């Protein structure tokens, strides 16, 4: 057997057995690209239900109200606040059963509550576990298995998909770079029968989408192999193939600042927004453990996540302990922070998201067209026996 025939054999049969997972990952990826807009569209009555007044209620009182409404005092709460005065605040609470085998068994609690910051009124709750986009995300991430079971399946299927893209480019490569060879490799033929059309849909579209598909596939591996991917990104950024520094916050309580007549969380809220007055949102992570610092995640842009910064406060006094500004990070860390936005294409705005959608859509079609090409050649032969 020649080297090319071996590659063709592997491409066909590995693709045949992994095609279903690739199809599912591609289809759910297509849908999830537009999650921010569609989610906001369907929750307009909750997101923009606030009634702007001269000033908001005491942030500390709002937190107390949220804790009372949610009822689970021993669970961490993520409270998202916004620079847009017409937006309501959003509190999220989650709890997982890591021993479960399915997504629905793993997710014990995942709920959101929207609050009017001017009236401290509960605008509505959402059980996120059963919402459309969370289920789509769970399928994409772990095929509706629990994370510990499903993520290795999707991760290694992605590795195989990247191998398939590489072998596909090898098989696509024109033998001769003349007019005939280029026509066969770059153009979809529709006037030579359905077999040739399906072959071109698989071959030509696979080539056109390959670069974007490789980027999406590689960045998707981050959540399964974060250390390996981050070390690779550090190398790309010119920092060498090294293990990223662990993000460990030391909670050494400093001397209290000049006291003011404000509750601790109110001071935290005030300081965070004074430091980043133009932020799109600041999310406060309210830990159930008193020894943990109170973390504020600052997101300056609605469209991308990679510019996030973090502030850490003493939960008892409201004093600032430390900060991690995005602008102060190393090039490798900045590249790693872009992973999600690169994976969804949002790092390049609408053109990037459209490219991600089209590449995912084509990736979804490749197992289908590949099976049709295989069946048209081998299915008939098998029926003769």
């Amino acid at each position: 057997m020649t080297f090319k025939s071996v590659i063709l054999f592997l491409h066909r049969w590995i693709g045949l057995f992994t095609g279903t997972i690739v199809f599912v990952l591609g289809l759910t990826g297509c849908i999830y690209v537009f999650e921010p807009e569609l989610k906001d569209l369907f929750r307009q009555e909750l997101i923009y239900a606030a009634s702007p007044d001269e000033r908001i209620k005491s942030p500390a009182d709002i937190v107390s109200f949220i804790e009372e409404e949610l009822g689970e005092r021993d669970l961490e709460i993520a409270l998202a606040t916004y620079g847009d005065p017409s937006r309501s605040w959003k509190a999220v609470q989650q709890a997982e059963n890591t021993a479960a085998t399915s997504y629905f068994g793993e997710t014990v609690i995942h709920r959101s509550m929207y609050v009017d910051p001017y009236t401290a009124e509960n605008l509505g709750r959402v059980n996120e576990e059963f919402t459309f986009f969370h289920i789509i995300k769970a399928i994409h991430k772990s095929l509706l298995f629990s994370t510990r079971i499903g993520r290795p399946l999707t991760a290694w299927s992605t590795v195989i998909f990247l191998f398939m893209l590489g072998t596909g480019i090898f098989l696509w490569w024109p033998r001769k770079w003349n007019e005939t060879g280029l026509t066969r490799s770059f153009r979809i033929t529709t006037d030579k029968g359905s077999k040739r059309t399906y072959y071109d849909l698989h071959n030509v579209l696979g080539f056109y989408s390959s670069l974007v598909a490789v980027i999406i596939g590689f960045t998707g591996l981050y959540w399964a192999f974060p250390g390996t991917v981050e070390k690779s990104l550090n190398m790309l950024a010119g920092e060498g193939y090294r293990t990223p520094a662990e993000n460990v916050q030391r909670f050494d309580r400093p001397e209290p600042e000049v006291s003011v007549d404000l509750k601790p969380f109110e001071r935290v809220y005030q300081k965070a927004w004074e430091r980043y007055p133009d932020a799109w949102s600041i999310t406060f992570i309210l830990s159930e453990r008193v020894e943990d610092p109170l973390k504020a995640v600052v997101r300056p842009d609605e469209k991308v996540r990679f510019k996030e910064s973090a502030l850490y406060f003493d939960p008892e006094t409201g004093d600032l302990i430390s900060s991690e500004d995005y602008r102060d990070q190393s090039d490798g860390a900045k590249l790693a922070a872009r992973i999600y936005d690169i994976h969804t294409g949002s790092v390049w705005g609408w053109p990037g998201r459209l490219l991600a959608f089209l590449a995912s859509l084509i990736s979804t079609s490749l197992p289908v067209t590949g099976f049709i090409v295989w069946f048209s050649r081998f299915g008939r032969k098998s029926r003769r026996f």
Side-chain angles (χ1 to χ4, degrees), residues 85-106:
S86 66
R87 287 189 67 120
S88 56
W89 290 5
K90 179 183 177 183
V92 179
Q93 204 170 41
Q94 299 183 60
E96 294 183 345
N97 174 17
T98 55
T101 58
S102 71
Y103 160 72
F104 296 105
E106 181 181 51

Side-chain angles (χ1 to χ4, degrees), residues 214-368:
V214 166
I215 293 173
I216 292 174
F218 177 75
T219 52
L221 295 176
Y222 171 79
W223 289 276
F225 313 111
T228 302
V229 174
E230 283 200 41
K231 286 190 285 186
S232 300
L233 294 174
N234 284 330
M235 185 173 65
L236 289 174
E239 298 176 12
Y241 190 74
R242 60 180 178 80
T243 302
E246 292 186 10
N247 180 17
V248 177
Q249 284 298 318
R250 296 185 178 278
F251 192 9
D252 297 325
R253 182 165 284 145
E255 290 295 322
E257 299 175 3
V258 178
S259 63
V260 292
D261 189 21
L262 291 175
K263 296 178 181 179
F265 182 75
E266 198 157 343
R267 296 188 68 197
V268 168
Y269 174 85
Q270 187 179 85
K271 288 182 179 183
W273 278 104
E274 284 177 353
R275 193 179 182 100
Y276 294 95
D278 298 323
W280 177 71
S281 74
I282 300 180
T283 299
F284 299 92
I285 311 300
L286 311 175
S287 175
E288 74 281 9
R289 295 179 299 187
V290 295
E291 67 271 17
D292 289 347
L294 194 157
K295 182 179 179 180
V297 180
V298 183
R299 188 172 169 187
D301 194 324
E302 178 183 8
K303 296 179 175 60
V304 294
R305 299 185 180 186
F306 70 86
K307 297 178 182 179
E308 289 181 351
S309 300
L311 301 171
Y312 296 86
F313 296 89
D314 185 323
E316 292 187 6
T317 66
D319 294 338
L320 180 66
I321 301 171
S322 63
S323 64
E324 297 173 356
D325 195 289
Y326 166 78
R327 294 165 295 186
D328 299 331
Q329 294 178 358
S330 67
D331 291 338
K334 287 180 179 177
L335 190 55
R338 285 174 163 84
I339 287 289
Y340 179 85
D341 295 303
I342 294 174
H343 189 65
T344 61
S346 57
V347 71
W348 298 289
W350 266 102
R353 295 175 70 188
L354 183 59
L355 276 176
F357 171 79
L358 292 175
S360 297
L361 186 63
I362 293 172
S363 298
T364 302
S365 74
L366 293 179
V368 178

Side-chain angles (χ1 to χ4, degrees), residues 121-177:
E121 177 188 358
N122 181 357
L123 300 173
R125 295 192 199 186
V126 179
N127 186 355
E128 302 287 3
E129 177 185 358
F130 299 102
T131 57
F132 175 75
F133 281 110
H134 275 278
I135 291 177
I136 289 294
K137 183 179 179 181
I139 296 172
H140 188 75
K141 182 180 76 172
S142 57
L143 304 175
L144 284 185
F145 292 107
S146 64
T147 302
R148 66 184 177 86
I149 296 174
R151 181 158 281 170
L153 287 175
T154 56
W156 286 109
S157 295
T158 301
V159 172
I160 292 172
F161 175 65
L162 293 174
F163 169 78
M164 297 293 290
L165 287 174
T167 56
I169 294 297
F170 176 82
L171 296 170
W172 165 89
W173 200 262
R175 292 181 180 178
K176 295 182 180 180
W177 289 81

Side-chain angles (χ1 to χ4, degrees), residues 160-214:
I160 292 172
F161 175 65
L162 293 174
F163 169 78
M164 297 293 290
L165 287 174
T167 56
I169 294 297
F170 176 82
L171 296 170
W172 165 89
W173 200 262
R175 292 181 180 178
K176 295 182 180 180
W177 289 81
N178 53 24
E179 184 177 354
T180 302
L182 295 178
T183 299
R184 286 179 59 88
S185 299
F186 289 95
R187 187 180 300 173
I188 297 174
T189 305
T190 57
D191 57 356
K192 293 185 179 181
S194 59
K195 291 182 185 179
R196 176 61 186 274
T197 300
Y198 283 120
Y199 176 81
D200 285 349
L201 286 172
H202 185 80
N203 205 37
V204 178
L205 289 182
F207 164 73
Y208 283 132
S209 66
S210 58
L211 178 59
V212 179
V214 166

